[in-house]
C-alpha cells in the first residue's frame, strides 16, 4: 500500500512528459485557430474527468481494471477491453520511446546507431517494467524528486532570459477569443491523463476519499500554457511550426553561463531522458499488468513471473520494428494516439460507471 | 554401577570417542579413584578447575558433600547421557564423574580481544567502543546502553560444525513483527557448516543469489545497534565475530554515520548531502569522462573541452582504455595498502602515488585530467560510511564505464535510471529498499506512539 502523494507524481510525470509526446506541436499548429481557448476548455474537461475517475476508483478499493472488469462482464468482453486498453498504454510508451530515439539522434549522439540507442533504452525499460507496482511508484518518486528542481531551474532560466520574446507570446494571446478546435482540445487533455494509470495502480493505493482535483487543474493550466507559449517566445510566432521537437529547439537557444555545461539543451535533454524512461516504464508496466489480467484475475505467485518475459520480448520486438518509421509517420502516429487516447479514456470511465451501477444493483 | 553407554562408563566412553586429542586430559582423584575428570585442556581454564574442583575436593572429607558442592554451581548440569557429555566437553566443560553420576562443570576459557575502538567505522565524537569476539561481552555492550526490559535476546545455534551461538536482539514494543517472523523463518532455514563472520550469515539470510546492494547492515558499533533497535529494527549478534547484522536496512541507512545524530541538524544534513554527492561522483565520473572525450566533447564549455583534449594529446589509446587502466591501478593500490603489513604499507602508497601521479603523466601515457579524476573517484568512494556499500559502489562504477563505452552519455543516464529502478525493486525483509527515504518508517512509529 502506498500513500496518496504518488497520485500526484503519476499526474505530474504525464504532465511534464507532454513535451516529448507532440502535445506542444499540435497546440502550436492551432495557435491562431483557438489553441488557447482549447486549453481552457481542456483544463475543465480534464479536471472533470479526473474528478469522476477518482470518485469511481474509490468505489473499487484495491482493485485494478482487470479485477473490476471480470467482476461485472462476460470473460470475452473483458478480455477484449483489456487488450485494447493494453494496446493504448503500450502505444503511449512506444511513442515516447521512439520520439526520444529520434531526439537523441538529432540533438545528442548522431554517431550512435538508432538500433543501439533503442536497445539501450529497451534493456532498462523492459527489465524495470517487470517490477512490482509499488517498486515502480517508488522509482517514480525518486526520479521526480531528483529532476523537479532541474525542471524548475530550466523554466526559470528560460523565462527570465532577455532573448525570450514576450511580444510573440502577447500576439498569440490576442487570438484567445478564437473558436476552440477539437484536435487541440483532445491533445491538451493528454497532460491530465496521468490519473489513468490508476487502472493498475489503484491496486496499491490506500482508498482515498479526497483527491485535491482543483490543484491539478491549476497545475495543468500552467503547464499547458508554458508548454505552448515558451517555444513561441523563443522561436517566434511563425517559425515555431518549422520545428518538430519545438521544446528541444527552444532549449537549445539558452546558454548557461556558470556551469561546466554551456548549452541548456544538454541539461534539458538528460532530465527529459530520465523522465521519459520512467514514464515509459510506468506505461509498459500498466500494459503488462493489463495483458496479464486478460485470462483471469486469480493471484498466482507473488513477484515477477516467467510469463512476463514473453510480453516483454514482444514489446521490444515491436519497438525495434517501429524504428524503421520515418519522422513523418512517427508524427502522424503521435497525433493519432493523442486522439484515440481521449476516446479510450472516456470508454474506460463509462465502463467503470457501468460496472459500478451493475455491482450496486447486484448487491441490492 | 557406572554403566552409562552400554557396558562402558561415561569417562571410558569419552576417552574412546575423543581418541587422538592431544589436549585431552583424564584424571582420577582420591585414594580410591572414585572421581574422574575428563576435559580438553585448550578449551578450559586451568585456574578455574584448580580453584573450584581440585582444591575443594581435597579439602572436603565426604564425597557426598563434594557432589552437592559441584551441583550447586550455576551452569553445572547433571547428566547420564554420554552424547551430551561429549558435546559439552567439546565446548569447554569438564565432565566430573563422581561414583555413578556425571556432572558437567563449566570452565570455558574464552580467548577474546578486549574492547577496543571501532576501526572500520571511525567517528569524531560519540562513543568509541566496538564489539569484540565474545557474544556475551557484546550483549553486555548493548544492554548497558539500552536499559529497557523490552529488549529481548533470543539465542540459537547455527553451523553444523562450528556450532556458533547467535543472538537475535529486538525491542519487543517497537519491532515490526512481520520482519521478526520472516527473520526467524530464514534463520531456521540456514544450513551451513561453518559460521565465522557476519557477512556469511548476511548472505545466507538475504537469500537472493545475485544482488548488487547489501540489504542488511553489518556494523561493529554498539551505538549503531542500539540506535537501530530503538527504531524498531532487529540486530543479530554472532559469537566469534566483532560484527553484528542489523535488519531491515534501506539504502539511506548505509549513508548514515553515527556522527549525524551528534552534529547539529544542519551540519548533519550537509554531511549526508556530501555523501550522496560522493556516491554520484564516484559512480559516474569515470563514465562521464569516457562519454565526454569519446562521444560528446561539445557538451562541455569550450575551455574545458580544449583542456581535456590538450592533456590527452599524447595519450596513445582510446579514453576507455585509459580509464580502465588507471582505475585498475587505483584498485590495486587500495588492495595492496589494505593487505600489506603495517611496516611496508606506506611504501606501496608512496611508490604507487608517485608513479601514478607524476611519472605516468610526464611520460604522456595518461592525461593529467585523468589523474585528478581517479583521485576524485577514489576519495569520494571513501566517503561512504559503511564498508559493504563502499565495496558495492566500487564495483558498480565499472558497469557504468561499460555503458559509457557502448552508448556514450546516453548509456550513463540509462544506467542511472536502471540502477534506481533496480534498487526500488529490492526489498530488505519485505521493506522497500529505496522508498522515499524511509519516511513511512518514522510515521508508522509516530502513529503507534
Amino acid at each position: 500500500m502506498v500513500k496518496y502523494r504518488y497520485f500526484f507524481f503519476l499526474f505530474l510525470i504525464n504532465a511534464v512528459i507532454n513535451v516529448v509526446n507532440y502535445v506542444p506541436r499540435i497546440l502550436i499548429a492551432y495557435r491562431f485557430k483557438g489553441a488557447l481557448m482549447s486549453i481552457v476548455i481542456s483544463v475543465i474537461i480534464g479536471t472533470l474527468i479526473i474528478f469522476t475517475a477518482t470518485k469511481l476508483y474509490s468505489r473499487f478499493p484495491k482493485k485494478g481494471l482487470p479485477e473490476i472488469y471480470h467482476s461485472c462482464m462476460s470473460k470475452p468482453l473483458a478480455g477484449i477491453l483489456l487488450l485494447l486498453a493494453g494496446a493504448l498504454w503500450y502505444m503511449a510508451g512506444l511513442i515516447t520511446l521512439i520520439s526520444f530515439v529520434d531526439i537523441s539522434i538529432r540533438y545528442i549522439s548522431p554517431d550512435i546507431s538508432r538500433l543501439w540507442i533503442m536497445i539501450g533504452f529497451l534493456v532498462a525499460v523492459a527489465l524495470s517494467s517487470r517490477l512490482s507496482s509499488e517498486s515502480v511508484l517508488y522509482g517514480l518518486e525518486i526520479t521526480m524528486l531528483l529532476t523537479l528542481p532541474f525542471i524548475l531551474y530550466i523554466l526559470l532560466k528560460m523565462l527570465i532570459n532577455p532573448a525570450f520574446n514576450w511580444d510573440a507570446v502577447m500576439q498569440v494571446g490576442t487570438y484567445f477569443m478564437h473558436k476552440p478546435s477539437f484536435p487541440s482540445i483532445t491533445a491538451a487533455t493528454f497532460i491530465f491523463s496521468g490519473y489513468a494509470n490508476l487502472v493498475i495502480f489503484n491496486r496499491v493505493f490506500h482508498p482515498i476519499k479526497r483527491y485535491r482535483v482543483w490543484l491539478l487543474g491549476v497545475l495543468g493550466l500552467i503547464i499547458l500554457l508554458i508548454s505552448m507559449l515558451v517555444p513561441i517566445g523563443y522561436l517566434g510566432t511563425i517559425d515555431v511550426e518549422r520545428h518538430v521537437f519545438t521544446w528541444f529547439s527552444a532549449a537549445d537557444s539558452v546558454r548557461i553561463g556558470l556551469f561546466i555545461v554551456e548549452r541548456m539543451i544538454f541539461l534539458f535533454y538528460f532530465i527529459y531522458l530520465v523522465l521519459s524512461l520512467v514514464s515509459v516504464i510506468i506505461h509498459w508496466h500498466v500494459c503488462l499488468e493489463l495483458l496479464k489480467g486478460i485470462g483471469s484475475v486469480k493471484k498466482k505467485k507473488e513477484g515477477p513471473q516467467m510469463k512476463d518475459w514473453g510480453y516483454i520480448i514482444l514489446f521490444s520486438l515491436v519497438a525495434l520494428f517501429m524504428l524503421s518509421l520515418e519522422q513523418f509517420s512517427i508524427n502522424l502516429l503521435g497525433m493519432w494516439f493523442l486522439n484515440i487516447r481521449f476516446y479510450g479514456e472516456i470508454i474506460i470511465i463509462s465502463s467503470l460507471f457501468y460496472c459500478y451501477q451493475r455491482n450496486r444493483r447486484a448487491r441490492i | 554401577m557406572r554403566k552409562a553407554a552400554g557396558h562402558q562408563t561415561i569417562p571410558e566412553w569419552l576417552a574412546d570417542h575423543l581418541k587422538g586429542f592431544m589436549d585431552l586430559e583424564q584424571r582420577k582423584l582420591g585414594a580410591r579413584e572414585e572421581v574422574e575428570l575428563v576435559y580438553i585442556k585448550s578449551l578450559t581454564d586451568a585456574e578455574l578447575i584448580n580453584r573450584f574442583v581440585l582444591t575443594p575436593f581435597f579439602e572436603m572429607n565426604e564425597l557426598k558433600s563434594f557432589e552437592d558442592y559441584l551441583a550447586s554451581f550455576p551452569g553445572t548440569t547433571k547428566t547420564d547421557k554420554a552424547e551430551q557429555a561429549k558435546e559439552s566437553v567439546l565446548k569447554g566443560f569438564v565432565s566430573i564423574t563422581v561414583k555413578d553420576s556425571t556432572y558437567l562443570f563449566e570452565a570455558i576459557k574464552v580467548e577474546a580481544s578486549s574492547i577496543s575502538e571501532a576501526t572500520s567505522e571511525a567517528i569524531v565524537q560519540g562513543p568509541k567502543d566496538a564489539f569484540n569476539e565474545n557474544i556475551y561481552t557484546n550483549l553486555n555492550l548493548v544492554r548497558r546502553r539500552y536499559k529497557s526490559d523490552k529488549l529481548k535476546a533470543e539465542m540459537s545455534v547455527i553451523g553444523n560444525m562450528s556450532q556458533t551461538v547467535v543472538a537475535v536482539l529486538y525491542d519487543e514494543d517497537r519491532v515490526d513483527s512481520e520482519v521478526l517472523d520472516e527473520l526467524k523463518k530464514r534463520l531456521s532455514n540456514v544450513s551451513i557448516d561453518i559460521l565465522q563472520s557476519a557477512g556469511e550469515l548476511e548472505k545466507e539470510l538475504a537469500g537472493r543469489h545475485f544482488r548488487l546492494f547489501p540489504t542488511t547492515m553489518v556494523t561493529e558499533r554498539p551505538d549503531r545497534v542500539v540506535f537501530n533497535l530503538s527504531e524498531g529494527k532487529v540486530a543479530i549478534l554472532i559469537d566469534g565475530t566483532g560484527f553484528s547484522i542489523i535488519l531491515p536496512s534501506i539504502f539511506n541507512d548505509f549513508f548514515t554515520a553515527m556522527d549525524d545524530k551528534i552534529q547539529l541538524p544542519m551540519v548533519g544534513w550537509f554531511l549526508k548531502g556530501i555523501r550522496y554527492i560522493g556516491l554520484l561522483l564516484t559512480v559516474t565520473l569515470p563514465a562521464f569522462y569516457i562519454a565526454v572525450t569519446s562521444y560528446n566533447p561539445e557538451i562541455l564549455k569550450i575551455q574545458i573541452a580544449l583542456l581535456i583534449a590538450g592533456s590527452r594529446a599524447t595519450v596513445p589509446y582510446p579514453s576507455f582504455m585509459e580509464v580502465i587502466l588507471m582505475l585498475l591501478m587505483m584498485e590495486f593500490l587500495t588492495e595492496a595498502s589494505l593487505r600489506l603489513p603495517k611496516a611496508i604499507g606506506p611504501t606501496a602508497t608512496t611508490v604507487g602515488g608517485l608513479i601514478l601521479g607524476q611519472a605516468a603523466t610526464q611520460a604522456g601515457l595518461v592525461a593529467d585530467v585523468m589523474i585528478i579524476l581517479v583521485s576524485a573517484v577514489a576519495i569520494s568512494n571513501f566517503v561512504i560510511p559503511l564498508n559493504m556499500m563502499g565495496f558495492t559502489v566500487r564495483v558498480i562504477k565499472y558497469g557504468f564505464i561499460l555503458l559509457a563505452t557502448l552508448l556514450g552519455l546516453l548509456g550513463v543516464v540509462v544506467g542511472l535510471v536502471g540502477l534506481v529502478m533496480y534498487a526500488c525493486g529490492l526489498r530488505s525483509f519485505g521493506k522497500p529498499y529505496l522508498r522515499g527515504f524511509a519516511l513511512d518508517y518514522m510515521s508508522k512509529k509516530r502513529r503507534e506512539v
Side-chain angles (χ1 to χ4, degrees):
Chain A
M1 291 293 113
V2 297
K3 299 221 152 161
Y4 170 45
R5 63 171 184 272
Y6 291 96
F7 181 73
F8 269 114
F9 288 125
L10 278 177
F11 167 82
L12 214 54
I13 190 159
N14 214 65
V16 173
I17 215 70
N18 79 75
V19 167
V20 185
N21 271 15
Y22 304 100
V23 174
R25 193 169 151 79
I26 297 177
L27 288 180
I28 284 167
Y30 287 92
R31 64 197 178 284
F32 301 129
K33 291 177 251 165
L36 282 174
M37 190 54 100
S38 312
I39 286 180
V40 175
I41 291 175
S42 74
V43 167
I44 297 168
I45 294 178
T47 322
L48 279 177
I49 287 181
I50 294 183
F51 184 75
T52 329
T54 48
K55 265 270 164 359
L56 279 171
Y57 279 114
S58 64
R59 306 281 176 204
F60 298 99
K62 295 178 189 180
K63 277 187 176 172
L65 203 59
E67 292 94 302
I68 299 174
Y69 276 180
H70 281 290
S71 73
C72 69
M73 292 181 193
S74 64
K75 216 167 179 185
L77 184 60
I80 291 171
L81 281 177
L82 286 174
L83 186 68
L84 288 178
L88 203 61
W89 259 269
Y90 176 70
M91 280 301 287
L94 186 67
I95 285 169
T96 317
L97 213 54
I98 292 184
S99 30
F100 227 88
V101 171
D102 209 30
I103 293 168
S104 305
I105 294 283
R106 262 158 229 281
Y107 291 91
I108 299 289
S109 299
D111 42 357
I112 308 177
S113 77
R114 298 164 75 91
L115 189 69
W116 269 111
I117 297 181
M118 191 51 140
I119 289 175
F121 287 173
L122 281 178
V123 169
V125 167
L127 290 180
S128 310
S129 58
R130 287 177 70 243
L131 295 172
S132 69
S133 299
E134 280 110 333
S135 305
V136 172
L137 286 178
Y138 300 143
L140 169 69
E141 180 183 33
I142 301 254
T143 41
M144 285 308 277
L145 288 180
L146 291 180
T147 51
L148 270 182
F150 287 104
I151 293 179
L152 292 178
Y153 167 77
I154 290 171
L155 269 183
L156 193 72
K157 193 85 186 166
M158 287 181 101
L159 287 175
I160 60 169
N161 196 327
F164 187 84
N165 190 353
W166 286 99
D167 291 345
V169 175
M170 295 295 179
Q171 199 207 337
V172 172
T174 56
Y175 289 84
F176 180 73
M177 292 310 288
H178 199 284
K179 187 165 64 69
S181 65
F182 202 64
S184 53
I185 292 181
T186 53
T189 48
F190 171 78
I191 75 151
F192 293 97
S193 37
Y195 81 88
N197 292 314
L198 278 182
V199 292
I200 288 303
F201 289 112
N202 195 43
R203 286 174 181 169
V204 294
F205 275 104
H206 285 295
I208 308 272
K209 304 264 159 38
R210 198 161 50 91
Y211 290 88
R212 289 190 201 89
V213 176
W214 61 271
L215 194 69
L216 301 186
V218 174
L219 211 59
L221 180 66
I222 296 171
I223 290 173
L224 272 175
L225 287 178
I226 286 175
S227 71
M228 175 186 167
L229 294 178
V230 169
I232 291 178
Y234 274 98
L235 306 171
T237 47
I238 304 297
D239 267 351
V240 70
E241 68 184 5
R242 298 190 185 169
H243 297 267
V244 181
F245 298 104
T246 36
W247 260 87
F248 286 83
S249 302
D252 205 4
S253 344
V254 183
R255 176 171 170 272
I256 312 178
L258 307 165
F259 197 55
I260 44 174
V261 172
E262 179 120 43
R263 287 154 68 196
M264 177 72 92
I265 175 78
F266 297 116
L267 190 61
F268 186 77
Y269 170 82
F270 287 118
I271 295 301
Y272 263 88
L273 176 54
V274 172
L275 288 174
S276 307
L277 287 180
V278 174
S279 149
V280 179
I281 289 170
I282 290 173
H283 284 145
W284 282 14
H285 171 77
V286 171
C287 173
L288 196 65
E289 294 292 325
L290 285 175
L291 292 184
K292 279 200 291 192
I294 286 181
S296 67
V297 286
K298 255 181 263 157
K299 270 264 163 78
K300 283 164 207 146
K301 214 168 78 229
E302 281 291 311
Q305 298 155 25
M306 285 309 285
K307 199 169 122 194
D308 303 0
W309 288 109
Y311 285 124
I312 281 171
I313 290 170
L314 182 74
F315 289 0
S316 309
L317 286 181
V318 173
L320 288 175
F321 173 73
M322 291 300 237
L323 267 187
S324 56
L325 288 185
E326 77 282 20
Q327 197 172 44
F328 181 76
S329 320
I330 303 175
N331 284 352
L332 216 57
L333 195 69
M335 317 232 169
W336 277 355
F337 165 73
L338 286 177
N339 269 317
I340 297 170
R341 173 208 56 83
F342 182 68
Y343 300 113
E345 271 175 35
I346 290 178
I347 291 174
I348 288 178
I349 288 180
S350 27
S351 68
L352 277 179
F353 190 69
Y354 164 77
C355 283
Y356 168 58
Q357 288 292 341
R358 212 184 130 144
N359 284 357
R360 204 174 57 167
R361 221 170 291 143
R363 226 170 288 139
I364 296 167
Chain B
M1 73 181 247
R2 276 195 184 188
K3 49 180 195 320
H7 55 281
Q8 281 178 313
T9 61
I10 287 184
E12 281 166 8
W13 191 88
L14 282 177
D16 211 30
H17 277 78
L18 300 177
K19 222 182 289 166
F21 274 55
M22 294 281 282
D23 44 0
L24 185 74
E25 188 83 16
Q26 276 179 288
R27 237 159 247 293
K28 292 186 177 173
L29 305 181
R32 278 175 289 140
E33 303 189 332
E34 58 267 275
V35 174
E36 280 194 67
L37 303 186
V38 182
Y39 61 94
I40 297 175
K41 256 196 286 183
S42 58
L43 288 178
T44 47
D45 194 339
E47 175 70 17
L48 278 178
I49 299 175
N50 280 340
R51 186 143 39 114
F52 295 114
V53 181
L54 298 185
T55 321
F57 174 74
F58 290 107
E59 279 171 358
M60 284 181 203
N61 301 325
E62 294 246 352
L63 212 53
K64 179 77 180 75
S65 54
F66 178 64
E67 260 191 85
D68 291 343
Y69 167 79
L70 271 184
S72 67
F73 275 100
T76 298
T77 47
K78 189 178 174 184
T79 184
D80 51 3
K81 292 195 189 74
E83 197 62 41
Q84 191 194 350
K86 186 186 79 178
E87 270 172 28
S88 300
V89 167
L90 282 176
K91 272 185 203 159
F93 282 64
V94 184
S95 140
I96 306 172
T97 311
V98 184
K99 284 198 284 190
D100 48 357
S101 42
T102 299
Y103 295 89
L104 299 168
F105 174 79
E106 186 178 352
I108 304 175
K109 180 166 68 176
V110 181
E111 300 286 1
S113 38
S114 57
I115 298 167
S116 52
E117 285 193 12
T119 47
S120 67
E121 292 165 64
I123 69 169
V124 185
Q125 290 166 316
K128 301 253 191 244
D129 290 351
F131 285 133
N132 74 359
E133 273 92 48
N134 186 347
I135 192 169
Y136 296 101
T137 318
N138 294 348
L139 260 175
N140 172 297
L141 286 175
V142 174
R143 283 222 191 263
R144 214 174 66 207
R145 290 175 167 83
Y146 202 100
K147 296 186 188 81
S148 158
D149 59 335
K150 301 294 177 206
L151 179 63
K152 302 291 175 203
E154 291 178 12
M155 300 281 195
S156 56
V157 173
I158 288 181
N160 299 334
M161 309 291 177
S162 62
Q163 295 282 320
T164 313
V165 180
V166 168
V168 176
L169 291 180
Y170 57 91
D171 185 310
E172 202 179 28
D173 277 357
R174 305 188 172 192
V175 73
D176 191 326
S177 54
E178 282 170 36
V179 173
L180 197 62
D181 294 342
E182 178 71 27
L183 172 68
K184 282 178 185 163
K185 209 176 79 195
R186 289 196 205 178
L187 266 180
S188 63
N189 286 338
V190 170
S191 73
I192 47 174
D193 285 343
I194 302 284
L195 175 67
Q196 290 207 80
S197 68
E200 285 169 283
L201 188 61
E202 195 266 335
K203 260 191 284 180
E204 291 287 326
L205 287 180
R208 238 162 116 169
H209 295 295
F210 178 78
R211 269 183 312 149
L212 278 181
F213 292 109
T215 46
T216 55
M217 237 190 313
V218 172
T219 180
E220 60 165 351
R221 301 193 61 88
D223 54 339
R224 191 187 280 276
V225 168
V226 167
F227 169 67
N228 281 295
L229 283 174
S230 76
E231 273 195 327
K233 298 189 189 178
V234 185
I236 305 177
L237 298 179
I238 300 155
D239 196 23
T241 174
F243 290 88
S244 67
I245 301 175
I246 299 173
L247 54 96
S249 294
I250 57 163
F251 193 70
N252 193 37
D253 292 341
F254 291 91
F255 290 83
T256 312
M258 288 315 289
D259 272 336
D260 297 358
K261 292 280 149 217
I262 294 157
Q263 302 290 358
L264 297 173
M266 210 178 68
V267 180
W269 294 332
F270 171 75
L271 289 177
K272 195 168 256 190
I274 289 284
R275 285 188 210 114
Y276 276 108
I277 295 173
L279 169 75
L280 195 68
L281 282 187
T282 190
V283 167
T284 57
L285 257 190
F288 270 128
Y289 179 79
I290 293 174
V292 162
T293 49
S294 300
Y295 284 94
N296 300 92
E298 78 279 4
I299 279 188
L300 298 175
K301 261 193 162 48
I302 186 80
Q303 294 95 326
I304 302 175
L306 283 178
L307 185 95
I308 294 179
S311 85
R312 267 186 58 77
T314 56
V315 179
Y317 29 74
S319 62
F320 75 93
M321 283 291 289
E322 189 187 8
V323 169
I324 288 178
L325 275 180
M326 284 308 286
L327 281 181
L328 275 182
M329 271 302 160
M330 188 200 69
E331 302 289 359
F332 292 150
L333 202 60
T334 329
E335 277 299 295
S337 50
L338 199 71
R339 313 273 172 227
L340 272 179
K342 284 243 156 48
I344 9 178
T347 326
T349 40
T350 317
V351 171
L354 277 179
I355 291 174
L356 289 184
Q358 281 288 317
T361 49
Q362 274 175 14
L365 283 173
V366 176
D368 295 328
V369 180
M370 187 65 227
I371 299 290
I372 300 171
L373 193 130
V374 166
S375 335
V377 168
I379 294 167
S380 46
N381 202 144
F382 299 140
V383 164
I384 300 165
L386 276 148
N387 277 316
M388 282 188 89
M389 186 53 97
F391 281 114
T392 299
V393 168
R394 239 167 98 180
V395 178
I396 286 178
K397 66 171 173 272
Y398 290 96
F400 276 86
I401 289 176
L402 180 72
L403 281 172
T405 315
L406 291 176
L407 287 175
L409 275 175
L410 276 180
V412 183
V413 178
V414 169
L416 280 176
V417 174
L419 195 67
V420 167
M421 292 311 293
Y422 170 78
C424 285
L426 277 182
R427 296 285 185 277
S428 171
F429 287 83
K431 297 289 155 192
Y433 196 54
L434 208 65
R435 172 166 55 185
F437 302 104
L439 287 175
D440 291 10
Y441 242 131
M442 281 149 67
S443 59
K444 186 192 164 210
K445 219 168 64 193
R446 277 193 207 117
R447 232 184 302 135
E448 282 171 359
V449 171

